[in-house]
Amino acid sequence: MIPAYKVSPEDTMELGYAVSQIGPDALQSEIEEFTEFSQRKTSEGLKILAELNIVKREEDEYTISSSYRKKIDDVSIENRDVLLNQALIQYRPFRSFGTFLKKGYGKDNAAKKTNVLHNIASDSSNLLDFFERFGRYTDLLNTDGEEMSITIEGKEIPGDSVESVEELRNALESEAEIRFWLEETIGTEIVAGIDEDTEEEIVKAFSKHASSPRDSITAAGRGLEDFLRAKGREQGVNQADLENSAGANQVANLLREKSVIRSLHTKRATSLAGIRNKGGAHGDDQQTGNRWRTEAEIALTVAMETTLLIASISQYIDNGKQVL
């Protein structure tokens, strides 16, 4: 949950830095001593960091998330907004809010819809205030009076920054475009219902389609398989049956047998699984002994078809709609 108590983005990131320096399993009292912040500010700021997945909390101990551990050491104080930029792009409620803005909703209405969808603040005004402050800090939101718009441009980093942070800056814009494309293409409600590991695989499928088509196809296949298994569990399919089903093809067939999805869904999943087997995980053809070449165009097509199939299955299960 986003706390109503206001902690500035700068102080929030200082708390994250404190956790990284103290080490794994940092206590709040140690973080307070390191930052010289009050107990209230420290407590509420840590809640924000945990909500944004920058730190992990286990009981009363805090540890910096692995994806931020080195980066928060490398980046200067002035450039910590880059890390918060990344965290907000990966934070589903912020993307939902941005998508509503892009569709033409006012900021108040967008905040209300986002809070109904994700239930992460005591009221929508607190959520809007949080998004405004952190969105401006990261340059992800532009505000002009009552008007607000979202931008997905990467952050600019000074030329003397370390290489790892420069690589992060270069990746931010494309990652944001992919994640917002997912929100706009298949809908915020569907994205909100997808397991985060599945989403990460789909993002990887898009981001790697040009540089590593084989890895892209493999990631799309893993994402589809994970999604199908998750839907099977949600719909009460026997766990042992799911565990005995190998690959997206067999899982899809099992879901069809249990009337969870339609035969057309299964055919589409089977087709994608076949491409994964030849173009991703197992490239050699049994008859010719030669490996199938994989091009960027087919990898991108697989990523898009996988995304649309996930949307189709979600709409059928959740709303009974048959949408290709």
Side-chain angles (χ1 to χ4, degrees):
M1 294 286 286
I2 299 298
Y5 183 87
K6 296 181 182 180
V7 183
S8 71
E10 294 87 350
D11 287 345
T12 299
M13 294 308 294
E14 177 65 16
L15 287 165
Y17 179 71
V19 174
S20 74
Q21 295 304 297
I22 296 169
D25 308 325
L27 298 173
Q28 181 172 325
S29 58
E30 296 174 317
I31 300 168
E32 290 172 16
E33 184 177 0
F34 186 96
T35 60
E36 299 183 338
F37 290 167
S38 68
Q39 182 180 19
R40 179 77 184 277
K41 178 185 286 189
T42 302
S43 174
E44 303 301 83
L46 289 170
K47 289 179 183 178
I48 294 172
L49 289 169
E51 180 70 24
L52 296 178
N53 201 33
I54 296 174
V55 303
K56 303 287 188 181
R57 178 181 180 179
E58 187 170 345
E59 295 182 351
D60 294 325
E61 298 175 335
Y62 298 86
T63 302
I64 197 78
S65 296
S66 58
S67 58
Y68 292 94
R69 187 173 296 120
K70 187 176 187 300
K71 294 169 185 174
I72 203 166
D73 278 338
D74 288 342
V75 73
S76 66
I77 294 174
E78 293 78 12
N79 294 317
R80 286 176 182 168
D81 58 328
V82 176
L83 304 184
L84 201 51
N85 183 293
Q86 179 187 33
L88 283 177
I89 287 171
Q90 294 176 346
Y91 186 51
R92 288 182 172 183
F94 182 79
R95 296 205 310 274
S96 295
F97 177 71
T99 301
F100 289 131
L101 289 178
K102 293 177 75 173
K103 288 182 177 180
Y105 290 103
K107 61 182 182 180
D108 293 316
N109 201 344
K112 289 179 181 178
K113 292 182 181 299
T114 300
N115 208 31
V116 168
L117 194 60
H118 297 281
N119 190 28
I120 55 166
S122 57
D123 59 57
S124 60
S125 61
N126 287 333
L127 182 61
L128 177 59
D129 176 78
F130 171 76
F131 282 157
E132 281 193 288
R133 289 184 296 110
F134 280 66
R136 285 199 301 267
Y137 174 72
T138 56
D139 290 335
L140 285 169
L141 286 178
N142 293 323
T143 55
D144 182 12
E146 290 299 312
E147 297 296 321
M148 179 180 290
S149 60
I150 192 159
T151 176
I152 54 175
E153 296 178 359
K155 296 289 299 176
E156 290 295 333
I157 300 296
D160 59 354
S161 295
V162 294
E163 182 179 354
S164 62
V165 179
E166 186 67 18
E167 290 174 354
L168 171 62
R169 181 193 69 79
N170 292 334
L172 278 173
E173 184 169 354
S174 61
E175 180 185 342
E177 289 173 346
I178 293 167
R179 292 184 186 273
F180 276 101
W181 180 85
L182 288 174
E183 297 275 347
E184 294 170 5
T185 302
I186 66 177
T188 54
E189 290 188 11
I190 293 176
V191 173
I194 296 174
D195 179 83
E196 291 190 5
D197 289 340
T198 298
E199 183 185 325
E200 291 303 316
E201 295 290 2
I202 298 302
V203 171
K204 187 183 298 183
F206 279 102
S207 64
K208 288 184 172 292
H209 83 274
S211 62
S212 183
R214 194 173 299 278
D215 289 342
S216 169
I217 291 172
T218 299
R222 283 196 303 263
L224 178 60
E225 184 176 345
D226 289 347
F227 168 77
L228 291 171
R229 290 186 188 279
K231 285 301 181 185
R233 288 191 295 270
E234 289 175 11
Q235 298 301 307
V237 176
N238 184 273
Q239 181 63 30
D241 290 338
L242 288 169
E243 291 175 357
N244 290 330
S245 300
N249 182 25
Q250 290 189 20
V251 179
N253 277 309
L254 174 62
L255 298 191
R256 175 66 190 96
E257 291 172 6
K258 303 299 182 180
S259 299
V260 175
I261 61 177
R262 306 297 300 174
S263 59
L264 183 57
H265 294 138
T266 303
K267 291 177 182 177
R268 292 169 68 181
T270 299
S271 174
L272 290 168
I275 296 174
R276 178 193 180 186
N277 288 338
K278 297 305 180 187
H282 311 291
D284 292 343
D285 188 284
Q286 291 181 346
Q287 294 179 334
T288 66
N290 296 322
R291 170 163 289 201
W292 287 90
R293 279 179 39 185
T294 307
E295 303 291 348
E297 290 78 5
I298 188 63
L300 180 59
T301 298
V302 168
M304 295 183 69
E305 287 297 325
T306 300
T307 302
L308 295 174
L309 177 55
I310 286 173
S312 177
I313 291 174
S314 294
Q315 291 185 71
Y316 178 72
I317 292 176
D318 296 340
N319 305 308
K321 294 181 178 179
Q322 295 182 198
V323 181
L324 290 175

